[in-house]
Amino acid sequence: NADIWYQLGKAYKNQEKLKEAIHSFNQALKINPQFTQAWLMLASIYRKQAKHTKVIACLQKLTQIAPENPRYWEFLAEY
């Protein structure tokens, strides 16, 4: 279940276990590639790690999934 993987990822992120969090969010996205919250969490982690290319890739994916959401476009423009 994508939600379970997402919740696990959030728990790992809160504990600063970023490798485990990334794995969990990726598992959620394998189940549901349209899971916007998981893409946002990945972008947040990659930003913290200064992995700029990965941040941009996540934000671009968000604008593809939900192009009507101005928030995602703003995040991408700010980055």
Side-chain angles (χ1 to χ4, degrees), residues 13-68:
K13 184 177 184 282
N14 289 338
Q15 296 172 15
E16 296 296 318
K17 295 181 178 180
L18 301 183
K19 182 178 177 182
E20 293 88 347
I22 290 169
H23 173 76
S24 297
F25 293 130
N26 280 322
Q27 291 300 312
L29 290 167
K30 282 182 185 177
I31 297 166
N32 179 4
Q34 308 295 308
F35 199 156
T36 56
Q37 289 302 111
W39 285 112
L40 281 171
M41 287 291 187
L42 277 178
S44 170
I45 292 170
Y46 290 140
R47 183 175 184 184
K48 189 173 200 167
Q49 294 176 331
K51 294 182 177 178
H52 307 295
T53 303
K54 290 187 177 194
V55 174
I56 292 168
C58 290
L59 295 176
Q60 287 175 331
K61 185 67 176 174
L62 283 165
T63 61
Q64 291 170 2
I65 294 168
E68 73 286 352

